[in-house]
Amino acid sequence: MKCNKCNHDIERPLELYNGRWCCPNCKKDIFPDVDTELVITAHNRELYVRSEEYYFKWLISTNESKTARFKYLDKAVSLCYESAFEYHPSALMRLGYYYDRGYADFSSAGAERWRAAYFYYKAILFNTHKGIVTQEGEEKYVDDLTQIKLQSGKYMLDLLKQAPAEVTKKIAFDGFENLEKLKMEVVQKIVDLGGVAENYDGQIESQEQDMSAMAYATLRACADEERAPVFAIFKLSKYEAEKLILGSSDGSFSIVERVGRDLKLKIAEAYDGKEIEGKFADFKSSNSLVNYVKNKCPDNGIYLCFFNWLGGHKYLKKKRDRNVVCQGLEDNSCAGIKLLIRAGKYNSCVFYDDDFYKYDEGRKGLSKKEMDKFVKEVCEEV
């Protein structure tokens, strides 16, 4: 794809923890918005059609093994990403659906996947263009785009009815006074497009999540050879901590067995929703981790965070850069981690190489100053 900000050809954008896209060359946001031209070419159409074929295989392969089935889903999502990166409208909508259903970026928290799905749907539903740009540069397919917009509107209304607690607790969202005001705007847009919004007069329900399941999915992804998470923070109740650590083995994977030199856990007692009690302790062996959870896990619950260098890390291959990431968050008694906790960036943010590379401004490797900027901007993000 070509960056619409610096005009450089890029293989694929950086995918940030909040679902946004960023150009790896100029580091500017290139996520589609309501003014983005939607495009269909022979290439992105082929990618999208192949993606849908794999998704159909996944739907009908109920008699195959779980491993085989999810290979179909992984391929469907991967091809959909490639098509969406070229602004194919149906691929963008489908990618929103994959985030919505938890099929894309499963190791990110529900709230972040919800936000990502919302912005994909928004980019289509509220898009200001009437038609789709073809390979020849003409704007066509007006009726087709209207139908895609209407489907995006239906998906968005369903999404808004099941907003996560992290979103419903906030007074405003995306410039709207509240989610009910946003829902009414979506309904009006559907009507303006000639559609009908039925049975959407119910109240928006807040969805709570089991954080042990979220932490389990994230830690399981740490060995992914293509794109493994680097850092995340979770606030777990005593029950959730015991469920995660002591009951993590399912016959093929155990979190405890992964803890070591390349996957380090840090744990501190939770004081409240913004502070820890005492200090963070490092856990570099399975025995010490199991002993802590069995015998010392506090009733208030814990904050658990990890640094992971297992799996694939395209943008953080150098040991020096990895050390800067760790030091930038751990120095001064884990000041960076504490700032992220105070800003509520736990249970919702999983950070990858891409998130840190975005701040490598000089292309000479990360610096302490750039890590400080990373923490500051993540904490300030609404």
Side-chain angles (χ1 to χ4, degrees), residues 67-82:
T67 300
R69 289 198 70 217
F70 276 87
K71 283 183 179 179
Y72 296 142
L73 182 61
D74 290 344
K75 189 66 175 176
V77 174
S78 176
L79 289 167
C80 190
Y81 264 117
E82 292 185 49

mmCIF file of all heavy atoms in Angstrom, residues 67-82:
data_model
loop_
_atom_site.group_PDB
_atom_site.id
_atom_site.type_symbol
_atom_site.label_atom_id
_atom_site.label_comp_id
_atom_site.label_asym_id
_atom_site.label_seq_id
_atom_site.Cartn_x
_atom_site.Cartn_y
_atom_site.Cartn_z
ATOM 1 N N THR A 67 -7.413 -27.249 15.749
ATOM 2 C CA THR A 67 -6.203 -26.674 15.154
ATOM 3 C C THR A 67 -6.405 -26.383 13.672
ATOM 4 O O THR A 67 -6.074 -25.298 13.181
ATOM 5 C CB THR A 67 -5.010 -27.625 15.329
ATOM 6 O OG1 THR A 67 -4.784 -27.840 16.721
ATOM 7 C CG2 THR A 67 -3.745 -27.037 14.703
ATOM 8 N N ALA A 68 -6.969 -27.339 12.961
ATOM 9 C CA ALA A 68 -7.202 -27.164 11.516
ATOM 10 C C ALA A 68 -8.214 -26.057 11.263
ATOM 11 O O ALA A 68 -8.033 -25.232 10.364
ATOM 12 C CB ALA A 68 -7.691 -28.479 10.909
ATOM 13 N N ARG A 69 -9.273 -26.037 12.060
ATOM 14 C CA ARG A 69 -10.323 -25.019 11.870
ATOM 15 C C ARG A 69 -9.763 -23.611 12.032
ATOM 16 O O ARG A 69 -10.062 -22.718 11.241
ATOM 17 C CB ARG A 69 -11.453 -25.219 12.884
ATOM 18 C CG ARG A 69 -12.311 -26.437 12.653
ATOM 19 C CD ARG A 69 -13.607 -26.293 13.416
ATOM 20 N NE ARG A 69 -14.449 -25.267 12.815
ATOM 21 C CZ ARG A 69 -15.204 -24.432 13.509
ATOM 22 N NH1 ARG A 69 -15.201 -24.468 14.834
ATOM 23 N NH2 ARG A 69 -15.960 -23.540 12.899
ATOM 24 N N PHE A 70 -8.959 -23.409 13.081
ATOM 25 C CA PHE A 70 -8.482 -22.054 13.340
ATOM 26 C C PHE A 70 -7.395 -21.615 12.367
ATOM 27 O O PHE A 70 -7.121 -20.427 12.246
ATOM 28 C CB PHE A 70 -8.038 -21.913 14.806
ATOM 29 C CG PHE A 70 -9.197 -21.610 15.705
ATOM 30 C CD1 PHE A 70 -9.957 -22.621 16.242
ATOM 31 C CD2 PHE A 70 -9.556 -20.295 15.973
ATOM 32 C CE1 PHE A 70 -11.055 -22.344 17.042
ATOM 33 C CE2 PHE A 70 -10.643 -20.006 16.768
ATOM 34 C CZ PHE A 70 -11.398 -21.035 17.311
ATOM 35 N N LYS A 71 -6.805 -22.563 11.661
ATOM 36 C CA LYS A 71 -5.911 -22.177 10.569
ATOM 37 C C LYS A 71 -6.701 -21.484 9.462
ATOM 38 O O LYS A 71 -6.222 -20.527 8.851
ATOM 39 C CB LYS A 71 -5.172 -23.402 10.020
ATOM 40 C CG LYS A 71 -4.022 -23.873 10.902
ATOM 41 C CD LYS A 71 -3.277 -25.031 10.270
ATOM 42 C CE LYS A 71 -2.114 -25.465 11.157
ATOM 43 N NZ LYS A 71 -1.380 -26.622 10.569
ATOM 44 N N TYR A 72 -7.922 -21.962 9.208
ATOM 45 C CA TYR A 72 -8.787 -21.303 8.228
ATOM 46 C C TYR A 72 -9.125 -19.884 8.685
ATOM 47 O O TYR A 72 -9.070 -18.937 7.900
ATOM 48 C CB TYR A 72 -10.087 -22.090 8.044
ATOM 49 C CG TYR A 72 -9.943 -23.468 7.471
ATOM 50 C CD1 TYR A 72 -10.742 -24.519 7.922
ATOM 51 C CD2 TYR A 72 -9.031 -23.746 6.460
ATOM 52 C CE1 TYR A 72 -10.628 -25.801 7.397
ATOM 53 C CE2 TYR A 72 -8.901 -25.016 5.922
ATOM 54 C CZ TYR A 72 -9.706 -26.045 6.397
ATOM 55 O OH TYR A 72 -9.583 -27.308 5.861
ATOM 56 N N LEU A 73 -9.472 -19.750 9.964
ATOM 57 C CA LEU A 73 -9.840 -18.426 10.478
ATOM 58 C C LEU A 73 -8.646 -17.485 10.457
ATOM 59 O O LEU A 73 -8.777 -16.316 10.060
ATOM 60 C CB LEU A 73 -10.393 -18.548 11.895
ATOM 61 C CG LEU A 73 -10.856 -17.241 12.543
ATOM 62 C CD1 LEU A 73 -11.984 -16.601 11.734
ATOM 63 C CD2 LEU A 73 -11.306 -17.484 13.976
ATOM 64 N N ASP A 74 -7.482 -17.974 10.856
ATOM 65 C CA ASP A 74 -6.278 -17.132 10.840
ATOM 66 C C ASP A 74 -5.977 -16.635 9.433
ATOM 67 O O ASP A 74 -5.608 -15.470 9.235
ATOM 68 C CB ASP A 74 -5.068 -17.916 11.374
ATOM 69 C CG ASP A 74 -5.157 -18.178 12.872
ATOM 70 O OD1 ASP A 74 -5.967 -17.507 13.537
ATOM 71 O OD2 ASP A 74 -4.430 -19.064 13.358
ATOM 72 N N LYS A 75 -6.128 -17.534 8.445
ATOM 73 C CA LYS A 75 -5.865 -17.149 7.054
ATOM 74 C C LYS A 75 -6.904 -16.136 6.582
ATOM 75 O O LYS A 75 -6.565 -15.170 5.876
ATOM 76 C CB LYS A 75 -5.901 -18.389 6.155
ATOM 77 C CG LYS A 75 -5.424 -18.143 4.724
ATOM 78 C CD LYS A 75 -3.947 -17.787 4.682
ATOM 79 C CE LYS A 75 -3.451 -17.672 3.250
ATOM 80 N NZ LYS A 75 -2.043 -17.246 3.182
ATOM 81 N N ALA A 76 -8.162 -16.317 6.973
ATOM 82 C CA ALA A 76 -9.218 -15.379 6.592
ATOM 83 C C ALA A 76 -8.927 -13.989 7.131
ATOM 84 O O ALA A 76 -9.041 -12.992 6.410
ATOM 85 C CB ALA A 76 -10.568 -15.876 7.110
ATOM 86 N N VAL A 77 -8.533 -13.917 8.389
ATOM 87 C CA VAL A 77 -8.252 -12.619 9.014
ATOM 88 C C VAL A 77 -7.026 -11.973 8.385
ATOM 89 O O VAL A 77 -7.012 -10.771 8.101
ATOM 90 C CB VAL A 77 -8.071 -12.777 10.532
ATOM 91 C CG1 VAL A 77 -7.625 -11.458 11.165
ATOM 92 C CG2 VAL A 77 -9.360 -13.250 11.178
ATOM 93 N N SER A 78 -5.981 -12.778 8.126
ATOM 94 C CA SER A 78 -4.748 -12.252 7.542
ATOM 95 C C SER A 78 -4.998 -11.649 6.160
ATOM 96 O O SER A 78 -4.536 -10.538 5.852
ATOM 97 C CB SER A 78 -3.703 -13.367 7.450
ATOM 98 O OG SER A 78 -2.529 -12.914 6.813
ATOM 99 N N LEU A 79 -5.725 -12.367 5.318
ATOM 100 C CA LEU A 79 -6.034 -11.861 3.974
ATOM 101 C C LEU A 79 -6.948 -10.633 4.035
ATOM 102 O O LEU A 79 -6.815 -9.710 3.230
ATOM 103 C CB LEU A 79 -6.691 -12.960 3.144
ATOM 104 C CG LEU A 79 -5.779 -14.110 2.700
ATOM 105 C CD1 LEU A 79 -6.604 -15.276 2.182
ATOM 106 C CD2 LEU A 79 -4.796 -13.640 1.639
ATOM 107 N N CYS A 80 -7.853 -10.629 4.999
ATOM 108 C CA CYS A 80 -8.747 -9.483 5.159
ATOM 109 C C CYS A 80 -7.954 -8.238 5.542
ATOM 110 O O CYS A 80 -8.230 -7.135 5.047
ATOM 111 C CB CYS A 80 -9.805 -9.798 6.219
ATOM 112 S SG CYS A 80 -11.132 -8.585 6.288
ATOM 113 N N TYR A 81 -6.969 -8.396 6.418
ATOM 114 C CA TYR A 81 -6.084 -7.283 6.762
ATOM 115 C C TYR A 81 -5.427 -6.714 5.500
ATOM 116 O O TYR A 81 -5.412 -5.495 5.285
ATOM 117 C CB TYR A 81 -4.972 -7.749 7.706
ATOM 118 C CG TYR A 81 -5.237 -7.532 9.167
ATOM 119 C CD1 TYR A 81 -5.335 -8.602 10.049
ATOM 120 C CD2 TYR A 81 -5.337 -6.251 9.702
ATOM 121 C CE1 TYR A 81 -5.554 -8.424 11.401
ATOM 122 C CE2 TYR A 81 -5.554 -6.055 11.052
ATOM 123 C CZ TYR A 81 -5.661 -7.146 11.900
ATOM 124 O OH TYR A 81 -5.873 -6.947 13.240
ATOM 125 N N GLU A 82 -4.861 -7.603 4.678
ATOM 126 C CA GLU A 82 -4.159 -7.144 3.483
ATOM 127 C C GLU A 82 -5.075 -6.367 2.551
ATOM 128 O O GLU A 82 -4.686 -5.337 1.981
ATOM 129 C CB GLU A 82 -3.549 -8.344 2.750
ATOM 130 C CG GLU A 82 -2.407 -9.018 3.494
ATOM 131 C CD GLU A 82 -1.775 -10.121 2.662
ATOM 132 O OE1 GLU A 82 -1.460 -9.850 1.487
ATOM 133 O OE2 GLU A 82 -1.620 -11.248 3.172
#
